[in-house]
Amino acid sequence: MAELDSIDRAILKALQENGRMTNAELAEKVGLSASACSRRHDMLEKSGVISGYHARLAHDAIDYKMMVIVHISLSGQFAKTLTEFEAAVKRCPNVLVCYLMSGEYDYILRVAAKDLSDYERIHRDWLSALPHVVKINSSFALREIIDRPNVGL
C-alpha cells in the first residue's frame, strides 16, 4: 500500500477510538462522503493496515486477576527449534502475547491466570511442556499502569 495520507490516518485514529462506529459516522468524522470513506476503509483492511476488530475485555472482570511476564530460554535458535516452539505456544490459551526477543531470553510471554494455583497449572501443563525450553523465569505483575491498545497516529 502507498504511504498513509492524513485522511487515512484520521480514519485509523477514529476506528481505534471506536471500532463499532458506522461508516456514516466515520465519514462525517473524517470529512468524506460515505462512499469515499467506505472505499478507503476497505483499502485499509485489504492492505492489512487494519488487521481486525475485537472486543477488549477487562481481565479481572472475567476472573483473570493475575498477569505474569514469562521469560523463556530455548536450547538453541535453530529454525526448526523456533518453529516448533512457536507452533506449540500458540496453542496455549492463557498466553496473550509472545515475542521473539534479542538479548538474554529467546521469548517473552504475557500470561493471564486466575490466581497463583491457576498459574501453577499453566506452568506445569503448558509452559514446561513447550518444546526445547531450558529455562522459564516468571515475574508477577503487581499492578497495571498502562495497557495501551492504540498506537499514536
Side-chain angles (χ1 to χ4, degrees), residues 7-100:
I7 295 173
D8 292 331
R9 290 181 184 282
I11 290 170
L12 295 172
K13 185 175 184 208
L15 289 172
Q16 282 188 133
E17 292 169 2
N18 179 5
R20 295 181 66 171
M21 71 173 58
T22 66
N23 184 62
E25 292 168 330
L26 180 60
E28 183 177 328
K29 188 165 183 103
V30 300
L32 291 176
S33 70
S35 60
C37 185
S38 181
R39 282 192 302 275
R40 282 191 181 241
H41 188 186
D42 288 345
M43 186 168 16
L44 291 166
E45 287 178 346
K46 287 177 184 159
S47 68
V49 174
I50 296 174
S51 62
Y53 300 90
H54 68 276
R56 186 171 169 91
L57 306 180
H59 293 120
D60 55 342
I62 57 172
D63 207 26
Y64 283 88
K65 300 190 184 314
M66 181 175 280
M67 281 296 148
V68 187
I69 306 304
V70 181
H71 298 83
I72 304 266
S73 294
L74 301 182
S75 58
Q77 284 203 349
F78 306 104
K80 183 177 189 266
T81 303
L82 299 177
T83 300
E84 289 174 358
F85 173 85
E86 290 171 10
V89 79
K90 287 176 183 177
R91 291 190 293 270
C92 180
N94 295 81
V95 174
L96 304 178
V97 178
C98 177
Y99 294 107
L100 174 63

